[in-house]
Amino acid sequence: DHAQAKADLAEAAAIHDRLAPESLARAATLDVLAFSLPTTSGMVQTLEQALTLKETLAPESLAVAETLCRLTDYTYDVQRRLERAQRAQQIRHRLAAGTMAEAASLSNLADALRRIGDSRAAEEHERQALAIRERRRPGSLEAAESLKSLSTILVHRGDFVGAERAILRAIEICEKAAP
């Protein structure tokens, strides 16, 4: 039950606060707890606490990249969003090149670039994400997500034929995945 899970997470966070306030275990608990909070501002604040701990205890780690990616979705200042996405991508490229995690970072970075108006760079990064996703999990919903994002970017670039091709491929993947 959701209410019990939320209470258990809060209890785990309280234990970490008491026994190991400066630990990666506490940071991991905060990451999970953040998504059970009722407000976006509370969630962001909790994720930022987790990020601060991770940056102190394990700078430039995959744990830092994961929290940066989570925060990117809730960062509305486009420049800060871009900085977080770039940093997450740099870490994941160095430590997890060619993985689905790197593909997610590339896609986040593409979105941040699109939001600041650099659709050429956004397209390049989304195509890299798509290539990884198609190589690692051909026909996956993750690949369809990249195709959908690529379609949006191509619309911004004025390439309506390319956008249509990308979205039709995404739809085809989704239809095959449907039960």
Side-chain angles (χ1 to χ4, degrees):
D1 137 0
H2 180 69
Q4 184 59 51
K6 186 176 173 182
D8 291 346
L9 280 171
E11 183 180 351
I15 291 168
H16 285 130
D17 285 347
R18 212 173 44 253
L19 301 177
E22 299 296 319
S23 69
L24 288 175
R26 179 173 184 262
T29 301
L30 289 171
D31 266 347
V32 176
L33 179 62
F35 290 96
S36 72
L37 297 175
T39 65
T40 302
S41 62
M43 179 188 62
V44 168
Q45 182 180 10
T46 303
L47 285 173
E48 286 178 346
Q49 289 174 359
L51 180 61
T52 298
L53 271 175
K54 290 176 182 184
E55 287 177 322
T56 300
L57 300 169
E60 303 303 308
S61 67
L62 290 173
V64 168
E66 179 66 28
T67 303
L68 283 167
C69 281
R70 288 179 175 167
L71 274 167
T72 299
D73 290 337
Y74 301 96
T75 302
Y76 302 109
D77 174 313
V78 291
Q79 190 57 44
R80 189 165 187 213
R81 182 184 192 108
L82 177 61
E83 290 164 4
R84 284 179 167 168
Q86 286 172 325
R87 183 153 173 246
Q89 171 50 23
Q90 289 166 353
I91 293 169
R92 282 187 170 165
H93 181 71
R94 190 174 62 258
L95 300 176
T99 64
M100 294 298 279
E102 183 184 26
S105 290
L106 284 162
S107 198
N108 272 349
L109 181 53
D111 180 62
L113 289 161
R114 180 188 59 78
R115 288 172 187 263
I116 65 163
D118 191 348
S119 59
R120 184 202 53 76
E123 179 183 351
E124 177 185 327
H125 286 86
E126 195 61 59
R127 286 189 185 280
Q128 289 174 13
L130 177 60
I132 291 170
R133 288 170 168 167
E134 287 184 330
R135 185 172 58 252
R136 304 284 293 197
R137 293 189 190 146
S140 67
L141 292 177
E142 292 94 340
E145 182 64 31
S146 272
L147 286 162
K148 180 189 75 69
S149 296
L150 181 60
S151 177
T152 300
I153 293 165
L154 292 172
V155 165
H156 283 272
R157 297 203 67 198
D159 181 357
F160 301 109
V161 172
E164 181 181 35
R165 241 188 339 263
I167 201 65
L168 289 175
R169 279 184 58 209
I171 291 168
E172 179 183 328
I173 290 170
C174 290
E175 286 175 343
K176 284 181 182 177

